[in-house]
Amino acid sequence: MASPTNRRPSRSPRHLGSHRGPHSKRRTALVAAATVAAVALAATALTALRPDSEPTAGHTTPSPVADARSTPAPTTRDPRPKPKPSTPAATPTAAKTTPPPPPGTPSAPPSSARAPQPASASAPLAGRIRPQVTYEGVATFYDTGNGDGACLYGPTDDVMTAAMNHTDYETAKACGAYVRVRAAGGASVTVRITNECPLPCAPGQLDLSPEAFAELAAPSAGRIPVTWTLLSPGSAAPLSIRYKTGSSSHWCGIQVVGHRNPVARLEVRQGNGWRQLPRTEYNYFLSEQGGGCGGAIRITDIYGEALTVDGVAIRPDVLQPTRVQFAAH
């Protein structure tokens, strides 16, 4: 009986076929794996060469962080070429702006209001309201009550009065001025400025007494376009002086009443000279330290005429007539 170790295996066609199969399959698998590796390597190289490729997931690039000095972070240069503009970009030009006026500056008159002309030689001390200038604006009316107003002239029976707009009122320089107001239809009336029409009354606007407005138009009109000019009345009684309530030799306020022309300044005798007093919006000239109170007073109108008044005692809130008046113009 033969030994199992000396038995030779059978070499039937089935066994031969099965013997070649594993080697052939292994070669085919190796070729396929090499091909796949080559394709993957080529794809990796192409991806790395693309300038606009996105970072691979899981390998994000940290963004630069500015330090406490707020130094701008360096920018990464883009390898892609940038197209050149066909024409250079225009440099924007900053628009010129006009700075706002400082507080207290009068507002510019609207297009409907005529700007005052330079003061003529005949009225060197005139302010905004000047002779021989026609102003354009609107007229309204208000309840004047007893006739008193911002100028503090006190109650009056004179019904032909008006309030001047805030801009042309000009810290009471308009107080006591006479103006002739004319409507578009030709009707006119002369009024005396005794009050101020506060903002939003526009430059050129006059707020008349009801009686004065009725001379120009029916009250139902309410608001009408007008022109007006400064007057120097032909006849006027002597002007008066009034010391304000509370005045004494240590402090006083002085007011001029009934002047033919607008008052430009008021001075008091102090020592061997004259000292000009500041004017308030309520139409009194103040000597806050009492200098000149009870002494000689010099009053000058917009035409430069100066009147000197002596012997006016400090009698608070009493209207004291004088014997002088400005000349007519």
Side-chain angles (χ1 to χ4, degrees):
M1 185 174 183
S3 171
T5 58
N6 294 330
R7 183 180 294 177
R8 298 179 68 182
S10 173
R11 296 182 65 84
S12 63
R14 181 174 61 80
H15 287 101
L16 291 174
S18 62
H19 180 74
R20 288 196 301 267
H23 289 282
S24 176
K25 290 177 180 178
R26 282 197 295 271
R27 284 196 299 269
T28 303
L30 290 173
V31 171
T35 302
V36 172
V39 171
L41 181 61
T44 303
L46 289 174
T47 303
L49 290 175
R50 287 179 59 191
D52 56 348
S53 61
E54 296 295 332
T56 305
H59 294 83
T60 57
T61 303
S63 301
V65 179
D67 62 14
R69 293 172 296 179
S70 300
T71 304
T75 57
T76 303
R77 185 177 179 180
D78 190 345
R80 291 176 293 182
K82 294 180 172 60
K84 295 182 180 180
S86 57
T87 55
T91 303
T93 303
K96 295 182 178 180
T97 58
T98 303
T105 303
S107 305
S111 57
S112 61
R114 181 176 175 182
Q117 305 297 321
S120 63
S122 61
L125 301 180
R128 288 183 58 89
I129 302 176
R130 299 163 185 176
Q132 301 177 357
V133 175
T134 299
Y135 297 84
E136 297 178 352
V138 296
T140 52
F141 66 93
Y142 73 108
D143 182 6
T144 53
N146 62 8
D148 199 4
C151 296
L152 293 188
Y153 288 133
T156 178
D157 294 331
D158 182 9
V159 296
M160 295 302 168
T161 59
M164 181 63 72
N165 67 83
H166 171 77
T167 304
D168 295 324
Y169 183 78
E170 200 176 6
T171 316
K173 288 183 180 179
C175 284
Y178 290 88
V179 296
R180 175 177 289 130
V181 188
R182 190 178 299 276
S188 65
V189 63
T190 298
V191 295
R192 185 169 65 106
I193 305 302
T194 60
N195 207 349
E196 175 188 8
C197 184
L199 295 173
C201 277
Q205 183 173 351
L206 291 172
D207 209 14
L208 307 177
S209 66
E211 293 83 359
F213 188 91
E215 294 290 322
L216 304 176
S220 58
R223 179 186 182 98
I224 60 173
V226 296
T227 59
W228 52 273
T229 54
L230 178 66
L231 294 181
S232 178
S235 60
L239 57 81
S240 300
I241 298 295
R242 177 162 49 200
Y243 276 94
K244 196 175 187 313
T245 303
S247 294
S248 68
S249 58
H250 305 289
W251 179 95
C252 67
I254 306 173
Q255 183 186 59
V256 185
V257 183
H259 43 89
R260 172 185 273 127
N261 306 317
V263 173
R265 62 182 177 225
L266 185 145
E267 302 163 286
V268 291
R269 173 80 73 180
Q270 192 166 3
N272 295 325
W274 295 94
R275 183 167 69 90
Q276 183 175 344
L277 300 183
R279 191 175 200 165
T280 67
E281 291 188 354
Y282 51 87
N283 196 33
Y284 273 88
F285 296 85
L286 295 185
S287 177
E288 298 190 84
Q289 303 302 322
C293 294
I297 301 171
R298 186 165 69 180
I299 312 156
T300 307
D301 69 2
I302 62 172
Y303 299 96
E305 181 181 1
L307 304 176
T308 302
V309 180
D310 291 309
V312 180
I314 302 176
R315 299 173 62 192
D317 205 25
V318 174
L319 199 61
Q320 302 185 62
T322 69
R323 298 180 179 181
V324 296
Q325 181 59 272
F326 295 117
H329 291 267

